[in-house]
Amino acid sequence: MTNTSAPAAPHRRGVINRLRTFPVTWMVVGTVLVFLTSAVSTAIGAESGPSGMALMALTGMAAGSAFYVLTMRVIARRRIPELARRAAPREALAGLGIGAAFVMASYGIVLVAGGYSIDWAPRDVGKTLMLAIAVNASAAVIEELTFRGLLFQGIERLGGPKHGRWIALTVTATLFGALHIMNPGATLWTSFAIAVEAGVLLGAAFLWRRSLWFVIGIHFAWNVIEGLLGIPVSGHRNPGLFITTVHGSGVLTGGTFGLEASLVPVIVSIAIAVPMLTATARQRSTVSDDRMTS
C-alpha cells in the first residue's frame, strides 16, 4: 500500500511560502503594522504634554522601523539594501540638503513676491525644537517606510522590470496625495499639489538613489523647516520659532493649508524631480548597455 500524503506536505509549504513572499502580502501586512504602531503612539502622545508627545513620536518611529525590518526579512524574505547602514550618513545628509534647499527656495520665492511676512516668535526655543524634530522625524520615517519602502517596491515588483517603476511612481504619488485630502483645510487642489510636489519628488528621489535614508532626509527637512518657519504643514499648524503671516492669493501662498498648497513648490519640485528621473533613466540605459556588451 502506497503513501500518497507525503508529497503533499512539501507542496503545501511551497504554496504557503509563495503566498507569504508575494508582494501584496508583505505590502499589506507591513503597512498595517507600521501605520498601526504610529497611530497608537500618536494617540497616546496627544494626551501628553510636549515631552510626552515627543517621546511617543520617537517610540512610534522605532516600533514602526522594527516592524518594517521584520516584515521584509521574515515575510518577504528579502534583504533591505534601501536601509544599508554604511550609506546612511551620506544619503541622509544629501537628502537633508535637497529637502532644505527645496523648502527654502519655495519659501523665498513667495516671500520675495510679497506673499509672506516673517517675525520671530518668542517661545521656549529648546522645547519647540525638541517637539518639531521628534514629531517630524517620526512622520518622515513612518510615511517613507510605508510609501517608498513597502508600497513602491511592492508595486514595482508586481509591474515587472520594464514598466514597474513608472507604475509604482504613479500609484504611490496619487495615493500619497489622495490620503492628504483628510487633512484640515484640504481640497482637491491640495491633494493634487501634494501628489506632485511630494509623491512625484520623493518617488523620483527613491528611484534615483534607491535609499530610504535619502528620501527620509528630504521629507524630514521639508516638514521641520516649514513648521519652524511658522507655516502649517499640510494643514497642521504646530508651534514654530517664527510666525509667518500670509498676504494675498492662496495660489501664491497656499493660504491656511500651508506652503504645499502654493503653486510655487509644485513648480520647484518638478524642476528637482526631472533631473532625478533623467539620471534614473540613464542609469538603466547604462546597465542595459553593459549587459549587452558583457
Side-chain angles (χ1 to χ4, degrees):
M1 184 175 180
T2 59
N3 185 359
T4 58
S5 62
H11 175 71
R12 282 197 296 270
R13 286 196 297 269
V15 171
I16 291 172
N17 286 334
R18 285 195 295 272
L19 287 174
R20 183 174 62 185
T21 58
F22 188 60
V24 173
T25 304
W26 50 262
M27 275 196 298
V28 172
V29 172
T31 297
V32 170
L33 291 175
V34 171
F35 252 105
L36 185 61
T37 55
S38 175
V40 171
S41 299
T42 300
I44 296 173
E47 302 297 324
S48 311
S51 297
M53 187 179 297
L55 177 60
M56 291 311 302
L58 295 176
T59 300
M61 179 180 72
S65 300
F67 277 125
Y68 178 85
V69 171
L70 285 172
T71 298
M72 288 303 196
R73 288 182 175 172
V74 177
I75 299 178
R77 293 290 182 90
R78 64 182 291 274
R79 295 179 179 177
I80 316 174
E82 64 273 17
L83 285 177
R85 293 181 181 179
R86 289 184 179 180
R90 179 185 70 249
E91 296 294 334
L93 285 173
L96 288 170
I98 290 177
F102 168 60
V103 174
M104 294 309 297
S106 301
Y107 184 86
I109 291 170
V110 179
L111 185 67
V112 171
Y116 292 152
S117 60
I118 185 169
D119 298 287
W120 174 254
R123 298 181 183 276
D124 185 331
V125 175
K127 187 176 292 184
T128 299
L129 284 172
M130 174 194 69
L131 188 60
I133 291 171
V135 170
N136 287 296
S138 178
V141 169
I142 293 299
E143 290 185 17
E144 293 312 314
L145 289 177
T146 302
F147 282 91
R148 260 57 63 177
L150 291 161
L151 299 179
F152 193 105
Q153 293 187 103
I155 294 169
E156 185 179 30
R157 289 198 176 195
L158 290 172
K162 188 174 182 180
H163 302 295
R165 62 188 186 276
W166 307 118
I167 296 172
L169 179 63
T170 302
V171 172
T172 55
T174 302
L175 183 59
F176 196 76
L179 288 179
H180 282 78
I181 194 67
M182 297 182 287
N183 288 24
T187 63
L188 289 177
W189 161 251
T190 63
S191 292
F192 172 79
I194 289 175
V196 174
E197 66 200 14
V200 172
L201 174 59
L202 293 170
F206 184 71
L207 272 174
W208 178 38
R209 303 298 299 176
R210 283 291 168 177
S211 170
L212 284 176
W213 299 114
F214 185 62
V215 291
I216 287 170
I218 295 174
H219 198 146
F220 171 73
W222 175 351
N223 282 4
V224 76
I225 292 174
E226 194 174 46
L228 291 176
L229 287 170
I231 308 172
V233 180
S234 301
H236 296 285
R237 183 182 289 277
N238 294 307
L241 297 179
F242 297 88
I243 297 174
T244 293
T245 305
V246 175
H247 308 278
S249 171
V251 175
L252 173 66
T253 66
T256 58
F257 188 80
L259 183 61
E260 286 94 349
S262 166
L263 182 61
V264 173
V266 173
I267 296 172
V268 174
S269 70
I270 293 173
I272 299 173
V274 168
M276 291 180 177
L277 293 173
T278 301
T280 300
R282 287 176 179 171
Q283 289 170 355
R284 296 277 179 157
S285 177
T286 301
V287 171
S288 297
D289 290 343
D290 290 344
R291 287 175 178 173
M292 291 178 66
T293 56
S294 61

